[in-house]
């Protein structure tokens, strides 16, 4: 079943027209990232997307356009020829009913030197300190671990979930391990935010490989690349 979903996802991703490592907001209200092989359908949840091209988007939550190197081959070395324009985080969303809460989606490429580290170890490292144990989140299309805690001393709280993409097939025949993090942040995490976070996770689907590189598409850009407009 997962393979079928992955193949369907890869076919859908081929229709994207944005730069390869910049995600897209589809007409159907889903978030696509063809290079990292993910779809997040948030349309039936409490969330609305934060568009970095919209001047009314909150600057402290809006994704930032960067041109820095990305460890595409997971060798642990950031080379100049690995410069991949993208947004950090990949996507951000604002709660429609809890205004102080927002969510983000990030992907971490695990270097080969750290391949033996557990997913739980990477999850724990996202917190200053944790208030719950890492636990499997049942009933999701994508297996995920979830943990809660404080991001920094005297800082906001967060609930973070992580999904493993082991053996992910990327460009040029490369395979790598990726971790997909979905984080909900607020001054305090309560039960209503746990429910909203879960609804977000229910819309996440991961593919086992990236969409094929289309003719004329480049995932390595020069420093002159400018930030794209609205991703809608």
């Amino acid at each position: 079943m997962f393979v079928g979903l992955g193949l369907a996802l890869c076919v859908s991703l081929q229709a994207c027209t944005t730069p390869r490592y910049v995600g897209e907001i589809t007409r159907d209200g889903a978030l696509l990232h063809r290079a990292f092989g993910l779809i997040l359908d948030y349309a039936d949840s409490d969330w609305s997307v934060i568009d970095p091209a919209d001047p009314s988007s909150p600057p402290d939550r809006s994704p930032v356009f960067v041109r820095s190197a990305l460890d595409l081959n997971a060798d642990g070395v950031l080379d100049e020829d690995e410069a991949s324009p993208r947004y950090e985080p990949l996507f951000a969303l604002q709660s429609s009913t809890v205004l102080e809460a927002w969510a983000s989606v990030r992907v971490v490429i695990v270097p080969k030197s750290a391949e033996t580290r557990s997913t739980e170890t990477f999850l724990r490292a996202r917190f200053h300190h944790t208030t719950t144990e890492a636990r499997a989140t049942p009933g999701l299309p994508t297996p995920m671990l979830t943990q809660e805690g404080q991001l920094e001393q005297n800082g906001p709280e967060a609930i973070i979930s992580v999904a493993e993409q082991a053996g992910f097939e990327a460009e040029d025949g490369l395979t790598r391990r990726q971790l997909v993090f979905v984080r909900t942040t607020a001054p305090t995490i309560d039960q209503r935010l746990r429910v909203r976070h879960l609804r977000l996770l229910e819309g996440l689907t991961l593919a086992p490989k990236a969409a094929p590189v289309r003719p004329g598409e480049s995932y390595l850009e020069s420093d002159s690349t400018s930030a794209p407009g609205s991703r809608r």
Side-chain angles (χ1 to χ4, degrees), residues 35-205:
F36 284 133
L38 69 83
I39 288 180
L40 180 61
D41 185 358
Y42 66 96
D44 294 330
S45 68
D46 172 62
W47 303 95
S48 58
V49 71
I50 299 175
D51 189 340
D54 185 346
S56 65
S57 295
D60 59 331
R61 301 179 182 183
S62 184
V64 176
F65 188 71
V66 299
R67 304 182 181 87
S68 57
L70 194 61
D71 191 13
L72 299 175
N73 59 6
D75 65 353
V77 180
L78 296 177
D79 299 316
E80 289 184 6
D81 61 1
E82 291 181 304
S84 299
R86 63 195 183 279
Y87 280 98
E88 292 289 354
L90 300 180
F91 301 110
L93 304 101
Q94 173 70 52
S95 172
S96 301
T97 56
V98 185
L99 297 182
E100 67 271 20
W102 67 289
S104 61
V105 180
R106 300 176 186 270
V107 173
V108 173
I109 298 174
V110 179
K112 292 181 173 61
S113 61
E115 279 189 343
T116 59
R117 291 181 62 188
S118 68
T119 303
E120 184 174 344
T121 300
F122 284 100
L123 177 59
R124 174 63 183 83
R126 314 297 283 190
F127 296 97
H128 178 268
H129 71 267
T130 58
T131 55
T132 67
E133 297 295 326
R135 61 188 185 277
T137 308
L140 296 178
T142 300
M144 304 192 79
L145 285 176
T146 297
Q147 195 164 22
E148 297 180 26
Q150 201 166 27
L151 296 176
E152 58 189 47
Q153 189 172 9
N154 300 321
E157 295 182 359
I159 176 170
I160 304 178
S161 299
V162 59
E164 175 93 27
Q165 286 178 295
F168 181 79
E169 297 179 32
E171 300 85 9
D172 299 325
L174 295 172
T175 59
R176 64 192 183 214
R177 179 187 178 196
Q178 296 181 172
L179 301 176
V180 180
F181 290 92
V182 180
R183 187 182 88 185
T184 294
T185 306
T188 302
I189 296 296
D190 56 19
Q191 186 57 30
R192 60 179 178 167
L193 287 180
R194 294 184 184 98
V195 172
R196 285 161 173 77
H197 182 81
L198 180 60
R199 291 293 302 278
L200 198 58
L201 301 183
E202 290 172 346
L204 179 66
T205 304

Side-chain angles (χ1 to χ4, degrees), residues 9-57:
L9 175 57
C10 289
V11 170
S12 298
L13 290 174
Q14 292 182 58
C16 300
T17 57
T18 54
R20 186 163 179 81
Y21 274 86
V22 172
E24 180 177 347
I25 306 168
T26 72
R27 294 177 181 176
D28 297 329
L31 303 178
L32 287 178
H33 202 292
R34 61 184 180 275
F36 284 133
L38 69 83
I39 288 180
L40 180 61
D41 185 358
Y42 66 96
D44 294 330
S45 68
D46 172 62
W47 303 95
S48 58
V49 71
I50 299 175
D51 189 340
D54 185 346
S56 65
S57 295

